[in-house]
Amino acid sequence: MNKELTKNFASGHSACAGCAFPTIVRTILGESPDPVVISNATGCLEVTSTLYPFTAWKTPYIHSAFENASATISGVERAHKILSKKGKVPKKVKFVVFGGDGGTYDIGLQSLSGALERGHDFVYVVYDNGGYMNTGNQRSSATPYGAATETTPVGKESFGKVEMRKNLMEIVAAHHIKYAAQANVAYLGDLKKKAKKAFEIEGPAFLSVFSPCTNNWKFPTSQYVAISKLATETNFWPLFEIENGKYKVNWATETPKDLEEFLKTQGRFKHLFSEKNAPVLAEMKKIVKDEWQRLVNKTEEV
Amino acid sequence: MTQFSEKKFDFEEAAVIKHDIKKAPKTGDWRYMTPQVDKEKCIGCTTCVPFCPEASIDMKLYKEGQKTKADIDYDFCKGCGVCAQVCPVKVITMKKN
């Protein structure tokens, strides 16, 4: 067991073999200069790391329900503020919330929005695997267009999810917070830099991290790094940050790879390669291209 | 009313669970493919270390004067094969148990 990496989050948790979020959790918490307090929305991370009577967390950890992880940390942060003023607790503590995309894009959006608006000093991390993977792959508003899920199955008349992904980064940016960034688990250097920045600034910061799900995206357990890399190389998941309202792209290429290269690695997209679904594939490519263009336009705005 | 106010509620103290690695489930039982590092050929680049979901890779010094090389803790390794996939020189091989 690696002592350095397991300072905050130990081995022995029961996440699927080849899951990406342990890496995300360790990388982000490793960048915190101070002790951390964690609030965790219900989801894979909570279920797998806190099997009663064990826990993989070496830090103070509060499990909250799906919808109130941010509200919980707001209370903790305010209580700490008062108690540290009275000299009862150490001054420097960082507050982190981990949530899946279900607990962030859908169910926890109102509490997240409230906490961002009130300006609590915390870091929100969403590990985005595009669905409710813990309960068996139901669609969430982070599921990409065309993906097959339990609730948007593929059949004679259907081709998977018919709606586009929600653009959470823009929703978060609309709260005028100082720092929000989109990162990818395959680019750990970039993720570290963003986590460090998020911890440094005072007030709320938001990180959205790409986290492939081996079980429900249907790919071999060894592939999460390769697939994450392809997601960024095909512009499906661009790396960018929003600092004081200014957009900045962190990784770009003149010649992005074909989107098919990313899609064909996963079972949830395999139906897109039939002749019947060719228009869906074309539409998907268009969505990715348009979203990328929108992002580039934003970086040029002054 | 009186009955209600007289009764003292004795709340159970909140359950506090502390991490103890000795009690942690040994997830090594899950493994059906075992990664093996070729210690002669490992270049000690540490690429695999942060990507391991179980954090079960350590860098170990085998010979004085040489670089530290990847060493896998089989107590927790689930055998996912990520290390073998990310290895730039492909010296980690997955073998069936």
Side-chain angles (χ1 to χ4, degrees), chain A residues 227-244:
Chain A
I227 288 175
S228 306
K229 213 164 221 164
L230 276 173
T232 294
E233 284 171 352
T234 55
N235 284 348
F236 178 83
W237 189 269
L239 306 182
F240 64 95
E241 55 190 358
I242 310 167
E243 222 176 333
N244 298 321

Side-chain angles (χ1 to χ4, degrees), chain A residues 138-156:
Chain A
Q138 287 84 17
R139 61 89 85 181
S140 78
S141 52
T143 310
Y145 174 84
T149 69
E150 191 113 292
T151 41
T152 57
V154 174
K156 255 189 222 158

Side-chain angles (χ1 to χ4, degrees), chain B residues 49-60:
Chain B
V49 176
F51 284 119
C52 173
E54 314 320 313
S56 58
I57 308 178
D58 243 326
M59 298 309 283
K60 198 172 158 188

Side-chain angles (χ1 to χ4, degrees), chain A residues 1-3 5-6 10-19 22-23 26-27 51-58 185-188 221-226, chain B residues 15 17-21 23-27 30 32 47 49-59 72-73 76 78-86:
Chain A
M1 203 176 62
N2 193 312
K3 287 228 166 67
L5 286 174
T6 53
S11 308
H13 57 80
S14 64
C16 305
C19 180
T23 307
R26 290 197 182 104
T27 309
L51 278 178
Y52 188 80
F54 309 113
T55 175
W57 297 93
K58 295 181 177 174
V185 64
Y187 295 78
L188 287 184
T221 55
S222 59
Q223 296 300 312
Y224 88 80
V225 181
Chain B
I17 300 172
K18 287 219 165 118
H19 171 75
D20 184 358
I21 195 69
K23 285 187 196 154
K26 294 275 182 286
T27 47
W30 296 24
Y32 79 99
T47 306
V49 176
F51 284 119
C52 173
E54 314 320 313
S56 58
I57 308 178
D58 243 326
M59 298 309 283
I72 297 168
D73 177 356
F76 292 107
K78 288 172 187 162
C80 59
V82 169
C83 49
Q85 200 271 330
V86 297

Side-chain angles (χ1 to χ4, degrees), chain A residues 125-195:
Chain A
V125 182
V126 47
Y127 60 93
D128 189 337
N129 51 22
Y132 292 87
M133 300 320 188
N134 177 34
T135 47
N137 196 14
Q138 287 84 17
R139 61 89 85 181
S140 78
S141 52
T143 310
Y145 174 84
T149 69
E150 191 113 292
T151 41
T152 57
V154 174
K156 255 189 222 158
E157 302 292 334
S158 64
F159 58 83
K161 195 183 169 195
V162 294
E163 297 89 8
M164 268 170 71
R165 276 170 58 83
K166 188 187 273 180
N167 194 334
L168 187 65
M169 290 305 288
E170 275 178 33
I171 298 175
V172 168
H175 291 80
H176 307 293
I177 65 170
K178 282 185 191 153
Y179 191 70
Q182 184 159 290
N184 187 329
V185 64
Y187 295 78
L188 287 184
D190 179 70
L191 179 58
K192 272 184 193 166
K193 221 168 61 194
K194 286 173 178 168

Side-chain angles (χ1 to χ4, degrees), chain A residues 9 13-16 18-28 40 43-49 57 98 100 127-129 133 185 209-213 224, chain B residues 53:
Chain A
F9 187 63
H13 57 80
S14 64
C16 305
C19 180
F21 64 61
T23 307
I24 297 172
V25 169
R26 290 197 182 104
T27 309
I28 288 173
N40 190 189
C44 280
L45 179 59
E46 176 262 319
V47 169
T48 56
S49 63
W57 297 93
F98 285 104
Y127 60 93
D128 189 337
N129 51 22
M133 300 320 188
V185 64
V209 191
F210 191 71
S211 168
C213 171
Y224 88 80

Side-chain angles (χ1 to χ4, degrees), chain A residues 192-226:
Chain A
K192 272 184 193 166
K193 221 168 61 194
K194 286 173 178 168
K196 199 164 176 221
K197 243 184 214 174
F199 281 123
E200 266 170 15
I201 66 139
E202 224 159 275
F206 182 84
L207 295 174
S208 167
V209 191
F210 191 71
S211 168
C213 171
T214 159
N215 221 1
N216 290 320
W217 291 15
K218 301 184 181 70
F219 61 83
T221 55
S222 59
Q223 296 300 312
Y224 88 80
V225 181

